[in-house]
Amino acid sequence: MIFTSFLSLLAIVNVAIADPIRMPLIRKHPRRDGEINLDGIRNIVDEDRMAAQADFVRAKWGFQTLAAKKSKRATVGIPVVNQKQDASYLGQVSIGTPPQNFLVVLDTGSSDLWVASASCSSCDPQTPAFDTSKSSTIKQVTTSSGQAASVTIHYGSGSVAGLVATDTVSMGGFTNTVQGMLVATQLTTGLLDGEAAGILGLAFESLASTQAVPFWQALLNAGQLTNPEFGFWLTREIDNRFAPDNAFGGEFTLGGTNSSLYTGELEFLDVLTTTQPTFWLLEMTSVTVNGKSVTIPTGNSAISAIDTGTTLIGGPSAGVRAIYAAIPGSQALTGQMQGFYAFPCSTDVELTISYGGKSWPINSLDMNLGTVGSGLCLGGIFDLNLGSSVTAGGGNPSWVVGDTFLKNVYSVYRANPPSIGFAQLSAVAGGSG
Ligand SMILES: *[C@@H]1O[C@H](CO)[C@@H](O)[C@H](O)[C@H]1NC(C)=O
């Protein structure tokens, strides 16, 4: 992060406050000698403009807008795209005026929104890009010295850099007219694939490198959501080698849950927080492999980010080693596959994970990523820190629990109180276990 909060505040002031203050609320006719007395007669107020300006300030500062108050608060089911056999799960957002539509990675493991810019030189030519010159509502965010605010966001898999802007962003019928985002002009390779144009961060504001309020939280602050939560049903295509690159991926429910997608109770567990929530964190309390309990690290080494934006499950060396030690015939891989493990393809690995409540099974299909040599198959859990004894600490996750796990449950992310709910998938959603 190269942004200070001081800089950000000034940037916000530049964008949001200057305009309304410059706009005189009531303008009197100037009196000149010899002119007819027009005392008491005033300019006609441009009500549309006035109301829009007021809502602009309300939205920017996190108050409920009049537009949102008038519109019915709602729960909306947004279709998800399953990209390349469960590699990523995407949803459609519209950005700018007129709207440009993009598929972005739905990522509960980060908090920024960014899209590739049409002027991104290091982007893959195939990557769909946002043409800022075609949006009449985009506003550049500037620093206190009047320069364009630039930000670099670092992910486990690469980094992205560009300028910060605000523009109208819509998804599933919800709109934020002043959504902060990064317009990416530099991108490391491999961060995006196929038709994905960027990432929509669904974790908490305090993690955002752009210091923008994440889209979902802005909708919540503006009173647009029926409930302070969103839910995911993510489909499985890993066992379908004829799956198209973009298959049906399930549903992202914004503003509540979709009860037809799960059965039984949603079990909510409080998110681990220090002062403010950051990632969606839970403590991993137990793991079983083929019915037998495995000893996993505790304390900081049990902190797990629940992350729709990560394909697999990554964990601390000792925990990952213990899991594979419970699978007969498994072995650690070397070379470029260091950190991964393989096991005999004839073994069905039945794994369960618990975060202090129920144990949730992972389908053996999700644990098997395909063959990597004679009779050996690649496992869906890998070593995040490659055998080093360095632990994450500082409230950062030691485990990153991605889609390998999340395909097996209906998962709900609740802002207030910060908590995560899991339930068994209904038959409509393919079932669990
Ligand atoms: C809930 O899921 C069902 C089954 O996929 C779907 O038909 C329905 O439209 C969804 N409801 C909402 C509000 O999106």
Side-chain angles (χ1 to χ4, degrees):
M1 280 200 279
I2 57 163
F3 232 52
T4 67
S5 53
F6 175 68
L7 181 117
S8 157
L9 183 63
L10 289 169
I12 289 166
V13 168
N14 279 350
V15 171
I17 289 302
D19 282 351
I21 287 176
R22 266 206 315 272
M23 184 187 66
L25 287 178
I26 294 162
R27 195 187 317 123
K28 282 184 179 166
H29 272 293
R31 287 278 309 274
R32 272 186 246 120
D33 280 352
E35 203 176 35
I36 306 165
N37 188 342
L38 289 173
D39 268 359
I41 298 181
R42 305 203 165 152
N43 266 6
I44 295 167
V45 171
D46 181 345
E47 292 184 22
D48 287 348
R49 184 172 146 79
M50 187 81 71
Q53 290 282 6
D55 258 5
F56 181 89
V57 178
R58 288 188 191 106
K60 188 72 201 183
W61 292 94
F63 294 98
Q64 183 177 359
T65 60
L66 184 61
K69 199 174 175 181
K70 285 194 298 190
S71 76
K72 197 170 162 289
R73 302 200 308 167
T75 301
V76 169
I78 298 162
V80 173
V81 172
N82 180 329
Q83 187 179 46
K84 300 196 173 170
Q85 287 190 281
D86 313 348
S88 297
Y89 293 86
L90 317 175
Q92 186 185 280
V93 293
S94 305
I95 307 179
T97 309
Q100 299 175 44
N101 295 336
F102 301 102
L103 288 173
V104 289
V105 176
L106 303 171
D107 183 17
T108 60
S110 67
S111 300
D112 293 288
L113 168 63
W114 64 267
V115 277
S117 158
S119 58
C120 174
S121 51
S122 56
C123 290
D124 187 319
Q126 307 285 307
T127 299
F130 178 40
D131 189 345
T132 53
S133 70
K134 294 211 172 92
S135 176
S136 63
T137 42
I138 192 159
K139 286 191 164 70
Q140 197 78 67
V141 171
T142 52
T143 66
S144 53
S145 56
Q147 289 175 324
S150 64
V151 157
T152 301
I153 307 172
H154 298 278
Y155 298 93
S157 48
S159 67
V160 55
L163 298 178
V164 183
T166 68
D167 206 342
T168 298
V169 173
S170 301
M171 183 177 214
F174 294 111
T175 297
N176 178 12
T177 55
V178 283
Q179 178 61 50
M181 75 191 86
L182 180 69
V183 181
T185 46
Q186 282 174 310
L187 206 62
T188 51
T189 52
L191 210 51
L192 292 179
D193 197 7
E195 288 172 43
I199 293 179
L200 177 68
L202 295 167
F204 292 91
E205 179 179 358
S206 55
L207 270 186
S209 300
T210 54
Q211 301 206 352
V213 180
F215 179 70
W216 73 276
Q217 269 189 303
L219 298 183
L220 183 62
N221 293 343
Q224 293 197 51
L225 306 181
T226 306
N227 294 300
E229 59 196 20
F230 54 86
F232 274 102
W233 161 41
L234 303 174
T235 61
R236 175 181 301 109
E237 293 285 355
I238 197 168
D239 53 334
N240 174 15
R241 61 195 179 94
F242 302 110
D245 279 358
N246 295 311
F248 173 68
E251 186 186 285
F252 170 43
T253 314
L254 193 45
T257 60
N258 184 339
S259 58
S260 65
L261 300 176
Y262 62 90
T263 59
E265 292 290 297
L266 272 163
E267 182 187 74
F268 277 95
L269 298 168
D270 286 344
V271 158
L272 303 170
T273 59
T274 44
T275 47
Q276 296 175 68
T278 54
F279 295 99
W280 293 97
L281 298 178
L282 294 177
E283 183 184 352
M284 191 180 289
T285 54
S286 69
V287 172
T288 68
V289 176
N290 292 340
K292 275 181 274 177
S293 171
V294 166
T295 304
I296 53 162
T298 56
N300 273 345
S301 299
I303 298 176
S304 311
I306 307 302
D307 183 6
T308 57
T310 286
T311 310
L312 305 176
I313 296 173
S317 305
V320 174
R321 198 162 45 235
I323 287 170
Y324 287 101
I327 306 170
S330 71
Q331 59 183 70
L333 299 179
T334 54
Q336 66 166 359
M337 291 307 284
Q338 194 188 350
F340 282 90
Y341 287 76
F343 57 84
C345 294
S346 54
T347 305
D348 274 342
V349 178
E350 306 284 352
L351 204 125
T352 72
I353 300 181
S354 167
Y355 302 94
K358 285 181 192 162
S359 284
W360 302 101
I362 296 176
N363 192 312
S364 58
L365 292 169
D366 296 318
M367 269 301 288
N368 186 333
L369 304 180
T371 58
V372 279
S374 52
L376 288 179
C377 280
L378 188 63
I381 298 180
F382 69 100
D383 184 345
L384 271 180
N385 47 3
L386 296 169
S388 83
S389 57
V390 178
T391 54
N396 280 327
S398 293
W399 292 87
V400 178
V401 179
D403 307 322
T404 293
F405 173 77
L406 291 169
K407 279 178 266 179
N408 294 281
V409 289
Y410 186 75
S411 59
V412 180
Y413 306 78
R414 181 180 278 176
N416 204 358
S419 47
I420 298 174
F422 295 127
Q424 200 178 331
L425 292 170
S426 66
V428 173
S432 286

